[in-house]
Amino acid sequence: MKKYLSVLLFSVILFLMLPISTTFAYPSGLLDGKPVDYYQYNAKIRPYDCITDRLTSHCVQIGRPDLGPEWMQYDFVNLVTINALQYNGDNTVNFDFYDSSNTLIATKPGLLTKTAFDEIKNVKKLIVRPTAGITFIYEFDVFGIEQTTPSTPPIEVSQNYKEFSIPMNSFCSVSQSVDLSLNITNLKNSVADLKLFLYKKNGASLSTAGSSYDGIESTIVPATSFQLAGNETSLYHITFGGSNNNCADRVYSGKIEVDSESSSLIASGWVDGTKGNATVIINGGQSWKVGEIAEGPGNQDTTAPAAVTNLSSGNPTSSSIALSWTAPGNDGSVGTATYYDIRYSTSPITEANWASAVQVTGEPTPAIAGTSQSIVINGLSPSTTYYFALKTLDNANNVSTLSNVPSSQTSVLSYSGNIIPTTNYTVLFSSQSDSTTYGAYRAFNQNSADAWFTTSPAWVGVKLAQAKTIAKYTVARSSSTGYDGGNYTPKNWTFEGSSNGTNWTVLDTKTNQINWAVGEKREFIVSNPQSFQYYRLNISASTGGSYIAVGEIEMMEQQ
């Protein structure tokens, strides 16, 4: 046993002595600096280049059970041979390698150190999947060579249909309904001949006509041909459950079939239930064309979107700045691009420091070239100058050059006056010495010359006429030594909020608040304010031992 413990202790010491790497230095990696696509619910959402930028700052989170299947995917232009990999993240992943026929040919675990293995040939696609729940991926790459004979898939005409998944596994009963809404838009001037198919859990096709109400329209009958005029949109909506009592008819997948010789379409939808809503993603949220030659060797898209030149910033608050710009195209200034990559920094952004700028989430999908677009960047610090820039990507992951770099300064934090009125509020308390001389209401009567006085520990609070978001509060010692001659001012406390006066949320914690002068008032900022109707100061100790005295408490909203 002693020998075992000695070996274990030596191993721990040896591990702690190992250097901790903060960057991945593998410029020979096949993915070095290239964007890797993020997939969710079997649909491509957007690319990320922070995974391959040689920096180990947090990049992507995958494996979240509420978002369905998630993975990172890279499609090689030509066949490659892989002989090593390297991975950095906070949880385990698998590297799955596929050939040009989409057949899985090998799986390797992600390891922190560069790990060599027998060659895996004819790799066309790499997928990185989480194996143990929620995973933060910082960086990864694979190593090998591009095969001398490039992959040459046959040139194909694009499919005349698009299949999609519908996240319909939601609560459904006579008392809980779930709605499905879909829209299909014809992007060409000519008429498109279409069919919409919807499939139940058992694979049976739904043919029920939709319903319209409260501005929600429904014009499509599933499994029935219809014509969609150029530049127009057709809609489908149906409610499952509720008074319809049709939960068994819920649909879990669909297909849009095109019978026209040449069409260009875009489609999307949503599912809305009692417990939440989800997006129906069709073709990754991108348009698709029918009757045109798909990209193959010799006709691949190599034209990047144009750079945005009129990015502007403004309308600052203490925590946000609005951006606006004109959408570029897919090829230069023509068509519709696929993704925006928007970033900000407290220093001017250049191509050299682009990778270290903070990447924004929730960017809008690019609109057709020439369209005005905007986004509000939240979570910023007050009184701080921020610089912004964006790049635009198309569906071939061609990246535009850097946009112009505007800057704006967030405003100074400002607060309202005391929102506790002199009337129309209810005082709450755990105890008070006597209601006449030392009543709890004296902590809120806007008169610091008196005080609420009681034994420690204790709490005091208010019920407001309506919910308010308190971002700052003050605590004052009484200005009269007749009420607080022994300095019984609070020392340790939590500032708490509640929606019902029973279940309390801690909003701020203070300890060792000592050396209060007579009449002194101290201000405290709530770093994460929330809206509540009930607020209280829950005091666990005072500066005066067994007693507590509070001259005045004020509460303010952020403006």
Side-chain angles (χ1 to χ4, degrees):
M1 184 65 180
K2 290 183 178 179
K3 179 179 181 181
Y4 171 78
L5 290 175
S6 298
V7 172
L8 178 61
L9 179 60
F10 176 76
S11 300
V12 171
I13 294 172
L14 181 62
F15 174 77
L16 293 175
M17 293 174 63
L18 291 175
I20 299 174
S21 175
T22 57
T23 62
F24 271 3
Y26 41 65
S28 60
L30 294 175
L31 307 182
D32 187 24
K34 298 175 182 177
V36 180
D37 293 323
Y38 163 65
Y39 277 74
Q40 179 191 112
Y41 276 121
N42 299 316
K44 183 168 73 173
I45 304 302
R46 60 162 297 165
Y48 284 90
D49 59 11
C50 54
I51 289 177
T52 58
D53 60 3
R54 308 188 202 172
L55 301 173
T56 55
S57 56
H58 166 226
C59 181
V60 178
Q61 181 184 20
I62 60 175
R64 293 163 289 190
D66 58 322
L67 294 180
E70 294 180 290
W71 67 86
M72 305 305 299
Q73 177 174 322
Y74 185 82
D75 295 273
F76 295 97
V77 175
N78 298 316
L79 294 177
V80 297
T81 296
I82 307 296
N83 56 29
L85 63 82
Q86 190 169 9
Y87 162 77
N88 193 350
D90 74 340
N91 221 330
T92 56
V93 298
N94 277 342
F95 284 66
D96 294 337
F97 301 95
Y98 294 79
D99 63 16
S100 56
S101 64
N102 206 36
T103 300
L104 178 64
I105 55 177
T107 295
K108 298 291 182 180
L111 299 173
L112 184 61
T113 56
K114 183 176 178 180
T115 305
F117 41 75
D118 292 338
E119 289 184 342
I120 305 171
K121 297 184 178 181
N122 300 318
V123 176
K124 190 65 171 66
K125 179 172 69 177
L126 164 67
I127 290 182
V128 179
R129 306 179 191 271
T131 61
I134 297 176
T135 299
F136 289 97
I137 295 180
Y138 307 128
E139 193 84 2
F140 64 73
D141 210 334
V142 293
F143 304 85
I145 58 171
E146 182 174 331
Q147 295 177 193
T148 55
T149 303
S151 62
T152 54
I155 297 176
E156 299 177 350
V157 175
S158 55
Q159 290 178 323
N160 69 335
Y161 64 88
K162 287 294 176 184
E163 296 172 315
F164 54 92
S165 176
I166 302 174
M168 188 58 74
N169 190 21
S170 180
F171 289 93
C172 184
S173 65
V174 293
S175 60
Q176 293 180 321
S177 62
V178 57
D179 287 65
L180 168 66
S181 182
L182 301 169
N183 52 271
I184 307 171
T185 301
N186 182 1
L187 299 177
K188 281 202 165 186
N189 294 324
S190 56
V191 173
D193 296 310
L194 308 173
K195 282 184 183 178
L196 171 66
F197 294 93
L198 298 172
Y199 301 104
K200 304 176 187 179
K201 186 171 63 174
N202 62 3
S205 177
L206 179 77
S207 58
T208 305
S211 59
S212 304
Y213 71 93
D214 291 343
I216 298 178
E217 302 177 39
S218 190
T219 56
I220 301 173
V221 178
T224 302
S225 297
F226 65 96
Q227 287 193 321
L228 181 55
N231 301 308
E232 292 192 3
T233 299
S234 286
L235 308 154
Y236 181 73
H237 167 267
I238 187 171
T239 300
F240 299 102
S243 60
N244 299 303
N245 196 24
N246 59 346
C247 289
D249 290 334
R250 284 178 293 169
V251 292
Y252 294 82
S253 65
K255 179 173 68 174
I256 299 172
E257 189 173 278
V258 186
D259 295 326
S260 308
E261 291 185 0
S262 178
S263 298
S264 180
L265 305 168
I266 190 168
S268 62
W270 50 260
V271 172
D272 187 23
T274 306
K275 300 298 183 179
N277 56 70
T279 301
V280 178
I281 301 172
I282 302 174
N283 196 41
Q286 305 304 308
S287 61
W288 74 95
K289 298 177 180 179
V290 175
E292 300 185 9
I293 300 299
E295 291 179 2
N299 63 338
Q300 293 175 351
D301 180 5
T302 59
T303 304
V308 170
T309 58
N310 66 341
L311 180 65
S312 63
S313 59
N315 299 322
T317 70
S318 59
S319 60
S320 69
I321 292 175
L323 303 181
S324 61
W325 66 94
T326 301
N330 175 69
D331 296 327
S333 299
V334 178
T336 305
T338 305
Y339 308 102
Y340 288 125
D341 187 348
I342 301 175
R343 303 193 182 195
Y344 65 88
S345 174
T346 54
S347 302
I349 299 174
T350 65
E351 288 285 3
N353 63 16
W354 167 259
S356 62
V358 179
Q359 190 168 25
V360 173
T361 59
E363 302 99 322
T365 299
I368 192 169
T371 304
S372 295
Q373 297 198 262
S374 62
I375 186 176
V376 176
I377 311 299
N378 294 299
L380 306 179
S381 300
S383 303
T384 304
T385 297
Y386 288 94
Y387 297 83
F388 303 89
L390 71 80
K391 293 184 179 182
T392 310
L393 295 82
D394 63 16
N395 56 5
N397 282 341
N398 296 310
V399 185
S400 73
T401 56
L402 191 69
S403 69
N404 62 303
V405 184
S407 64
S408 291
Q409 184 177 29
T410 49
S411 59
V412 178
L413 278 175
S414 61
Y415 301 93
S416 68
N418 183 17
I419 58 91
I420 302 175
T422 55
T423 59
N424 198 26
Y425 70 94
T426 302
V427 177
L428 310 170
F429 55 89
S430 59
S431 64
Q432 57 186 7
S433 293
D434 70 78
S435 59
T436 302
T437 307
Y438 302 109
Y441 77 93
R442 295 183 181 274
F444 306 101
N445 66 350
Q446 301 182 22
N447 178 14
S448 62
D450 55 17
W452 166 61
F453 187 84
T454 189
T455 55
S456 179
W459 57 263
V460 65
V462 292
K463 176 186 177 183
L464 303 173
Q466 60 187 19
K468 299 277 189 180
T469 301
I470 303 303
K472 183 175 81 169
Y473 66 99
T474 68
V475 177
R477 180 184 174 185
S478 175
S479 60
S480 171
T481 56
Y483 281 87
D484 188 10
N487 195 356
Y488 304 116
T489 313
K491 176 183 178 183
N492 303 330
W493 72 80
T494 53
F495 182 66
E496 304 171 0
S498 173
S499 297
N500 54 19
T502 301
N503 303 310
W504 294 88
T505 298
V506 175
L507 301 173
D508 188 42
T509 300
K510 289 291 176 282
T511 58
N512 202 35
Q513 294 291 313
I514 58 176
N515 300 322
W516 293 77
V518 175
E520 180 184 355
K521 179 169 67 176
R522 298 182 184 179
E523 298 182 350
F524 304 97
I525 303 299
V526 179
S527 60
N528 184 29
Q530 302 175 50
S531 179
F532 292 110
Q533 189 174 8
Y534 298 80
Y535 289 93
R536 73 179 182 182
L537 199 69
N538 194 356
I539 304 163
S540 57
S542 77
T543 57
S546 301
Y547 298 98
I548 295 172
V550 176
E552 193 70 23
I553 298 173
E554 299 174 320
M555 301 180 193
M556 295 83 173
E557 294 179 293
Q558 184 176 320
Q559 293 180 325

